[in-house]
Amino acid sequence: AVDAIFIAHPYSGLILDCNTSACQLMQKPKNQLVGMHQTKLHPADQAEQYQRVFQEHIKTGREIVEDVFVVLENGAAIPVDIHAVVIELEGEAVILGLFRNITQRKLLEDQLAATAAEFEALYDNAPCGYHSIDANGYFTRINKLALAWFECERHEIIGKLRPVDFLPPRAKSFLNNLFRALSAKGKLTIWSLN
């Protein structure tokens, strides 16, 4: 198995068995992991939190997924997803925990969040007015400059108003027709504007 697998006693919390991937994840040989208390896999300062999670597995008997950390032999803490269930093994209830190293996923999530924040800052602070609308023509996003033009607060516009609501009647009719054509065809050509 690619994932680290730990089998632990539901009451004592002691690790009864583990696979090779568990040894690789923890950077420890099996004989050091078997017999260890499950809380020792995690940061010492969060032992109580992990004990509560472990007890929750026992009480509910259903799968629980948690973003948690394990501490490696070298002291580094790495994020893991744990999928744990109570199963019966040789007539005894045990907790089967699948641990997946999510370090790479967390790095990618952080990069994505940073990129999204950068995009949001560029959008919101652009030197021109930007707005986005939904299929019905209502504002879904609007930047600071466009808000200043409309002399409104964001909460007054998003999902409540449309660009046409700020136009005189004649221009409103033209833009409504243009929007219907765009919605129907998915694109506009220069001839649509004539």
Side-chain angles (χ1 to χ4, degrees):
V2 174
D3 291 334
I5 300 173
F6 292 93
I7 296 174
H9 192 276
Y11 304 110
S12 70
L14 296 179
I15 296 170
L16 304 173
D17 201 0
C18 62
N19 67 354
T20 303
S21 293
C23 299
Q24 291 168 347
L25 173 69
M26 299 304 300
Q27 301 174 348
K28 290 186 180 194
K30 186 172 185 171
N31 64 356
Q32 287 183 19
L33 292 170
V34 173
M36 176 190 288
H37 194 273
Q38 58 84 18
T39 56
K40 300 289 185 196
L41 298 173
H42 308 289
D45 62 336
Q46 297 171 6
E48 285 185 29
Q49 172 195 340
Y50 292 113
Q51 185 61 31
R52 280 194 300 275
V53 170
F54 188 79
Q55 292 303 319
E56 184 69 19
H57 294 315
I58 296 165
K59 286 180 191 172
T60 63
R62 63 178 192 266
E63 181 179 44
I64 299 173
V65 181
E66 295 283 334
D67 270 352
V68 295
F69 288 84
V70 293
V71 178
L72 306 183
E73 182 66 16
N74 65 9
I78 62 166
V80 293
D81 270 348
I82 300 176
H83 299 261
V85 292
V86 177
I87 64 166
E88 190 173 304
L89 185 66
E90 298 176 1
E92 297 285 328
V94 296
I95 291 197
L96 173 72
L98 299 170
F99 288 47
R100 177 170 292 164
N101 183 342
I102 57 169
T103 302
Q104 192 63 35
R105 185 182 88 198
K106 289 290 188 187
L107 289 171
L108 292 172
E109 286 172 354
D110 290 348
Q111 289 172 355
L112 183 60
T115 300
E118 183 179 347
F119 171 78
E120 191 64 35
L122 288 170
Y123 183 95
D124 208 35
N125 298 301
C128 54
Y130 283 133
H131 65 266
S132 303
I133 57 175
D134 65 16
N136 296 313
Y138 287 91
F139 288 102
T140 58
R141 297 181 65 169
I142 188 166
N143 73 350
K144 290 177 187 175
L145 187 58
L147 284 169
W149 289 343
F150 294 135
E151 298 178 345
C152 291
E153 297 293 324
R154 193 162 289 169
H155 71 273
E156 297 173 312
I157 288 184
I158 302 300
K160 297 175 184 172
L161 296 174
R162 302 166 300 158
V164 297
D165 296 329
F166 295 93
L167 298 175
R170 188 169 172 209
K172 206 180 269 195
S173 174
F174 173 76
L175 192 58
N176 278 329
N177 290 336
L178 203 60
F179 186 74
R180 275 193 289 281
L182 175 62
S183 296
K185 296 180 183 176
K187 66 178 182 175
L188 291 175
T189 64
I190 192 69
W191 306 113
S192 304
L193 303 175
N194 293 331

